[in-house]
PDB file of all heavy atoms in Angstrom:
ATOM      1  N   LYS B 107      28.818  40.468  24.082  1.00  0.00           N
ATOM      2  CA  LYS B 107      27.714  39.858  24.856  1.00  0.00           C
ATOM      3  C   LYS B 107      26.529  40.846  24.842  1.00  0.00           C
ATOM      4  O   LYS B 107      26.685  42.000  25.163  1.00  0.00           O
ATOM      5  CB  LYS B 107      28.241  39.636  26.288  1.00  0.00           C
ATOM      6  CG  LYS B 107      27.318  38.772  27.110  1.00  0.00           C
ATOM      7  CD  LYS B 107      28.071  38.491  28.406  1.00  0.00           C
ATOM      8  CE  LYS B 107      27.312  37.515  29.297  1.00  0.00           C
ATOM      9  NZ  LYS B 107      28.020  37.293  30.549  1.00  0.00           N
ATOM     10  N   LEU B 109      22.402  41.573  25.772  1.00  0.00           N
ATOM     11  CA  LEU B 109      21.183  41.214  26.514  1.00  0.00           C
ATOM     12  C   LEU B 109      19.974  41.539  25.640  1.00  0.00           C
ATOM     13  O   LEU B 109      19.823  42.639  25.169  1.00  0.00           O
ATOM     14  CB  LEU B 109      21.113  42.093  27.804  1.00  0.00           C
ATOM     15  CG  LEU B 109      19.850  41.867  28.643  1.00  0.00           C
ATOM     16  CD1 LEU B 109      19.847  40.523  29.343  1.00  0.00           C
ATOM     17  CD2 LEU B 109      19.748  42.977  29.703  1.00  0.00           C
ATOM     18  N   GLU B 141      27.569  36.341  22.252  1.00  0.00           N
ATOM     19  CA  GLU B 141      27.002  35.656  23.369  1.00  0.00           C
ATOM     20  C   GLU B 141      25.681  36.371  23.699  1.00  0.00           C
ATOM     21  O   GLU B 141      25.624  37.569  23.817  1.00  0.00           O
ATOM     22  CB  GLU B 141      27.930  35.685  24.563  1.00  0.00           C
ATOM     23  CG  GLU B 141      27.673  34.700  25.630  1.00  0.00           C
ATOM     24  CD  GLU B 141      28.706  34.858  26.761  1.00  0.00           C
ATOM     25  OE1 GLU B 141      29.732  35.474  26.556  1.00  0.00           O
ATOM     26  OE2 GLU B 141      28.379  34.292  27.828  1.00  0.00           O
ATOM     27  N   THR B 142      24.616  35.586  23.826  1.00  0.00           N
ATOM     28  CA  THR B 142      23.303  36.213  24.067  1.00  0.00           C
ATOM     29  C   THR B 142      22.744  35.889  25.438  1.00  0.00           C
ATOM     30  O   THR B 142      22.867  34.725  25.880  1.00  0.00           O
ATOM     31  CB  THR B 142      22.266  35.817  23.005  1.00  0.00           C
ATOM     32  OG1 THR B 142      22.336  34.398  22.907  1.00  0.00           O
ATOM     33  CG2 THR B 142      22.576  36.414  21.699  1.00  0.00           C
ATOM     34  N   VAL B 143      22.154  36.883  26.081  1.00  0.00           N
ATOM     35  CA  VAL B 143      21.456  36.727  27.346  1.00  0.00           C
ATOM     36  C   VAL B 143      20.025  37.104  27.108  1.00  0.00           C
ATOM     37  O   VAL B 143      19.733  38.203  26.549  1.00  0.00           O
ATOM     38  CB  VAL B 143      22.101  37.626  28.427  1.00  0.00           C
ATOM     39  CG1 VAL B 143      21.431  37.352  29.756  1.00  0.00           C
ATOM     40  CG2 VAL B 143      23.574  37.439  28.473  1.00  0.00           C
ATOM     41  N   LEU B 144      19.106  36.292  27.493  1.00  0.00           N
ATOM     42  CA  LEU B 144      17.686  36.588  27.269  1.00  0.00           C
ATOM     43  C   LEU B 144      16.968  36.670  28.593  1.00  0.00           C
ATOM     44  O   LEU B 144      17.196  35.842  29.490  1.00  0.00           O
ATOM     45  CB  LEU B 144      17.085  35.470  26.375  1.00  0.00           C
ATOM     46  CG  LEU B 144      15.551  35.518  26.210  1.00  0.00           C
ATOM     47  CD1 LEU B 144      15.176  36.678  25.275  1.00  0.00           C
ATOM     48  CD2 LEU B 144      15.007  34.258  25.584  1.00  0.00           C
ATOM     49  N   VAL B 145      16.124  37.665  28.714  1.00  0.00           N
ATOM     50  CA  VAL B 145      15.261  37.793  29.881  1.00  0.00           C
ATOM     51  C   VAL B 145      13.829  37.619  29.410  1.00  0.00           C
ATOM     52  O   VAL B 145      13.346  38.412  28.590  1.00  0.00           O
ATOM     53  CB  VAL B 145      15.415  39.171  30.584  1.00  0.00           C
ATOM     54  CG1 VAL B 145      14.592  39.164  31.832  1.00  0.00           C
ATOM     55  CG2 VAL B 145      16.884  39.353  30.844  1.00  0.00           C
ATOM     56  N   LEU B 158      18.582  28.299  21.461  1.00  0.00           N
ATOM     57  CA  LEU B 158      18.704  29.696  21.014  1.00  0.00           C
ATOM     58  C   LEU B 158      19.672  30.530  21.837  1.00  0.00           C
ATOM     59  O   LEU B 158      20.849  30.560  21.523  1.00  0.00           O
ATOM     60  CB  LEU B 158      17.297  30.343  20.927  1.00  0.00           C
ATOM     61  CG  LEU B 158      16.559  30.017  19.642  1.00  0.00           C
ATOM     62  CD1 LEU B 158      15.191  30.589  19.678  1.00  0.00           C
ATOM     63  CD2 LEU B 158      17.325  30.574  18.431  1.00  0.00           C
ATOM     64  N   ALA B 159      19.253  31.121  22.923  1.00  0.00           N
ATOM     65  CA  ALA B 159      20.097  32.023  23.679  1.00  0.00           C
ATOM     66  C   ALA B 159      21.100  31.212  24.489  1.00  0.00           C
ATOM     67  O   ALA B 159      20.836  30.073  24.852  1.00  0.00           O
ATOM     68  CB  ALA B 159      19.245  32.897  24.579  1.00  0.00           C
ATOM     69  N   ASP B 160      22.239  31.875  24.788  1.00  0.00           N
ATOM     70  CA  ASP B 160      23.284  31.177  25.594  1.00  0.00           C
ATOM     71  C   ASP B 160      22.854  31.137  27.086  1.00  0.00           C
ATOM     72  O   ASP B 160      23.121  30.152  27.770  1.00  0.00           O
ATOM     73  CB  ASP B 160      24.581  31.868  25.463  1.00  0.00           C
ATOM     74  CG  ASP B 160      25.112  31.824  24.028  1.00  0.00           C
ATOM     75  OD1 ASP B 160      25.122  30.683  23.475  1.00  0.00           O
ATOM     76  OD2 ASP B 160      25.496  32.848  23.431  1.00  0.00           O
ATOM     77  N   HIS B 161      22.301  32.270  27.529  1.00  0.00           N
ATOM     78  CA  HIS B 161      21.849  32.253  28.915  1.00  0.00           C
ATOM     79  C   HIS B 161      20.410  32.768  28.946  1.00  0.00           C
ATOM     80  O   HIS B 161      20.080  33.793  28.289  1.00  0.00           O
ATOM     81  CB  HIS B 161      22.670  33.294  29.771  1.00  0.00           C
ATOM     82  CG  HIS B 161      24.160  33.096  29.549  1.00  0.00           C
ATOM     83  ND1 HIS B 161      24.888  32.170  30.198  1.00  0.00           N
ATOM     84  CD2 HIS B 161      24.978  33.729  28.714  1.00  0.00           C
ATOM     85  CE1 HIS B 161      26.138  32.240  29.770  1.00  0.00           C
ATOM     86  NE2 HIS B 161      26.241  33.183  28.843  1.00  0.00           N
ATOM     87  N   VAL B 162      19.530  32.068  29.614  1.00  0.00           N
ATOM     88  CA  VAL B 162      18.115  32.511  29.678  1.00  0.00           C
ATOM     89  C   VAL B 162      17.753  32.740  31.142  1.00  0.00           C
ATOM     90  O   VAL B 162      18.015  31.913  32.016  1.00  0.00           O
ATOM     91  CB  VAL B 162      17.163  31.428  29.069  1.00  0.00           C
ATOM     92  CG1 VAL B 162      15.733  31.879  29.178  1.00  0.00           C
ATOM     93  CG2 VAL B 162      17.615  31.085  27.672  1.00  0.00           C
ATOM     94  N   TYR B 163      17.176  33.918  31.385  1.00  0.00           N
ATOM     95  CA  TYR B 163      16.667  34.216  32.730  1.00  0.00           C
ATOM     96  C   TYR B 163      15.132  34.213  32.690  1.00  0.00           C
ATOM     97  O   TYR B 163      14.551  35.074  31.953  1.00  0.00           O
ATOM     98  CB  TYR B 163      17.164  35.572  33.192  1.00  0.00           C
ATOM     99  CG  TYR B 163      18.625  35.568  33.600  1.00  0.00           C
ATOM    100  CD1 TYR B 163      19.599  35.630  32.630  1.00  0.00           C
ATOM    101  CD2 TYR B 163      18.970  35.409  34.953  1.00  0.00           C
ATOM    102  CE1 TYR B 163      20.959  35.624  33.017  1.00  0.00           C
ATOM    103  CE2 TYR B 163      20.282  35.337  35.314  1.00  0.00           C
ATOM    104  CZ  TYR B 163      21.286  35.460  34.341  1.00  0.00           C
ATOM    105  OH  TYR B 163      22.595  35.427  34.718  1.00  0.00           O
ATOM    106  N   GLU B 179      25.513  39.676  34.644  1.00  0.00           N
ATOM    107  CA  GLU B 179      26.043  39.183  33.358  1.00  0.00           C
ATOM    108  C   GLU B 179      27.016  40.152  32.754  1.00  0.00           C
ATOM    109  O   GLU B 179      27.816  39.745  31.900  1.00  0.00           O
ATOM    110  CB  GLU B 179      24.889  38.919  32.426  1.00  0.00           C
ATOM    111  CG  GLU B 179      24.062  37.660  32.832  1.00  0.00           C
ATOM    112  CD  GLU B 179      24.761  36.374  32.456  1.00  0.00           C
ATOM    113  OE1 GLU B 179      25.725  36.429  31.704  1.00  0.00           O
ATOM    114  OE2 GLU B 179      24.345  35.347  32.995  1.00  0.00           O
TER     115      GLU B 179
END
Side-chain angles (χ1 to χ4, degrees):
Chain B
K107 192 172 183 180
L109 175 72
E141 198 180 343
T142 49
V143 184
L144 173 72
V145 184
L158 277 174
D160 295 312
H161 314 277
V162 181
Y163 285 83
E179 290 284 345

